[in-house]
Amino acid sequence: MQSPTLPRSLLGALRRVMRPLVRLMLRKGVTYTVFADLLKEVFVDVADREFRLDDKVSSDSRISLLTGVHRKDVRRLRNESETSIATLPANITLSAQLVNAWTNSRPFCTDAGQALPLPRLASVGGKCSFDALMAKVSTDIRARVVLDEWLRLGVVRLDEQDRVHLEAQAFVPQKGFDEKAAYLGHNLHDHASAAVHNLSGEGLPFFERSVHYDALAAVSVDTLREAVAKEGMQTLLNFSRLAADLENLDSPGIEQRQRITIGLYFYTEPTDPVSSMTPAP
């Protein structure tokens, strides 16, 4: 039985947030037992990292009191390998840097920030080639290796003139479960972190807004989907160019750097006929 001091509104929100995650887990064979063990690790790790008193390492007993996890499990989990906060894999980070250069740096894009089709080889396109784009970001990995991976993921395509076209104006793999799963963790973590920060009422709130309607016809939904895909992507590209310009202007120093995430999403599902009924006058 839940403690009566726990906010019912919070528990209801958590239940709703968990539904799509549980849906994904059931589809992929992640059972409750597996998830419970994973959740136990997260509870211990967050309590250990973020809920210390006077910045002192907490005892197993205190973490057990905070989390409700048995002290034996707390000790075992803390003695096992150090849990690290997941970051995007190196291949995705490199790819994101390449897309950013492709859409923001001349001569690889237009003034409007649209990625140009690039000749694959420097021997053909010179400084405006996929080889040159790769060399701008990294000299440690061959351009052909990245190109083959991007072709596999559906990020780019090759035309009959051996030119490379960017299929998505941000690095969003069309294939590749591992890459998609990495973005699931990154994007949901940062969106949830912003929402949790705003709920705490501490410090300046993060911008976190949405538009929602519940009585649209399917054709109207399709119109909105296309508008978000086009105008939303352009908005994100504008923010990306601004961030790139500011990063280039930031002077090096001892000040700690910060990362940002800016997101925009679209979702639709059938409206619950019960909740959408209009009361009779």
Side-chain angles (χ1 to χ4, degrees):
M1 179 179 298
Q2 297 291 348
S3 168
T5 60
L6 295 177
R8 292 176 59 86
S9 58
L10 176 60
L11 296 178
L14 292 174
R15 185 180 294 110
R16 183 175 177 84
V17 167
M18 289 303 303
R19 291 188 69 85
L21 298 179
V22 170
R23 187 183 307 132
L24 173 64
M25 287 186 276
L26 292 177
R27 286 175 179 169
K28 296 300 180 181
V30 180
T31 64
Y32 168 76
T33 302
V34 172
F35 181 63
D37 289 340
L38 178 63
L39 196 58
K40 191 181 296 184
E41 293 179 20
V42 176
F43 263 83
V44 171
D45 185 57
V46 172
D48 192 13
R49 290 174 182 268
E50 302 180 27
F51 287 81
R52 297 180 177 183
L53 295 176
D54 299 324
D55 205 28
K56 296 180 180 178
V57 177
S58 300
S59 65
D60 293 344
S61 296
R62 182 171 186 274
I63 292 179
S64 177
L65 178 65
L66 281 174
T67 63
V69 177
H70 195 282
R71 189 160 58 89
K72 290 182 179 179
D73 289 330
V74 171
R75 185 185 309 114
R76 173 179 60 81
L77 291 169
R78 297 180 82 184
N79 288 336
E80 289 177 355
S81 58
E82 179 73 12
T83 304
S84 60
I85 299 176
T87 57
L88 286 173
N91 66 319
I92 290 182
T93 301
L94 173 63
S95 294
Q97 291 172 340
L98 280 169
V99 171
N100 181 61
W102 198 345
T103 55
N104 289 301
S105 303
R106 301 299 299 272
F108 308 111
C109 66
T110 67
D111 290 333
Q114 299 297 319
L116 294 170
L118 303 177
R120 180 171 63 87
L121 300 175
S123 59
V124 177
K127 294 182 179 180
C128 187
S129 64
F130 189 79
D131 283 347
L133 173 67
M134 185 68 214
K136 178 179 178 65
V137 175
S138 174
T139 57
D140 296 330
I141 302 177
R142 292 174 55 243
R144 185 71 218 193
V145 173
V146 175
L147 178 60
D148 288 343
E149 179 66 5
W150 276 14
L151 289 169
R152 180 184 74 84
L153 294 174
V155 177
V156 297
R157 65 178 174 86
L158 278 175
D159 65 18
E160 63 279 359
Q161 298 176 342
D162 203 30
R163 296 183 305 173
V164 188
H165 293 253
L166 183 63
E167 289 287 85
Q169 295 202 42
F171 182 64
V172 182
Q174 304 304 308
K175 308 171 186 176
F177 180 82
D178 291 346
E179 290 80 7
K180 290 181 179 180
Y183 270 112
L184 170 73
H186 180 274
N187 292 341
L188 286 190
H189 170 274
D190 285 4
H191 190 169
S193 294
V196 168
H197 170 84
N198 292 347
L199 193 62
S200 71
E202 299 175 358
L204 292 174
F206 290 111
F207 185 88
E208 199 246 341
R209 302 287 187 272
S210 64
V211 174
H212 44 91
Y213 288 75
D214 60 7
L216 288 165
V219 64
S220 298
V221 170
D222 289 340
T223 299
L224 283 165
R225 188 196 307 269
E226 293 176 6
V228 171
K230 180 180 179 180
E231 298 174 26
M233 179 56 70
Q234 188 57 52
T235 297
L236 290 177
L237 286 171
N238 291 339
F239 285 136
S240 178
R241 286 196 294 273
L242 176 59
D245 291 343
L246 291 172
E247 188 176 56
N248 290 332
L249 291 174
D250 286 342
S251 57
I254 60 174
E255 180 184 5
Q256 184 179 12
R257 297 300 182 180
Q258 299 189 43
R259 68 178 187 87
I260 65 158
T261 297
I262 303 170
L264 180 73
Y265 66 93
F266 176 89
Y267 178 71
T268 182
E269 67 178 9
T271 303
D272 183 350
V274 176
S275 63
S276 64
M277 289 179 61
T278 302

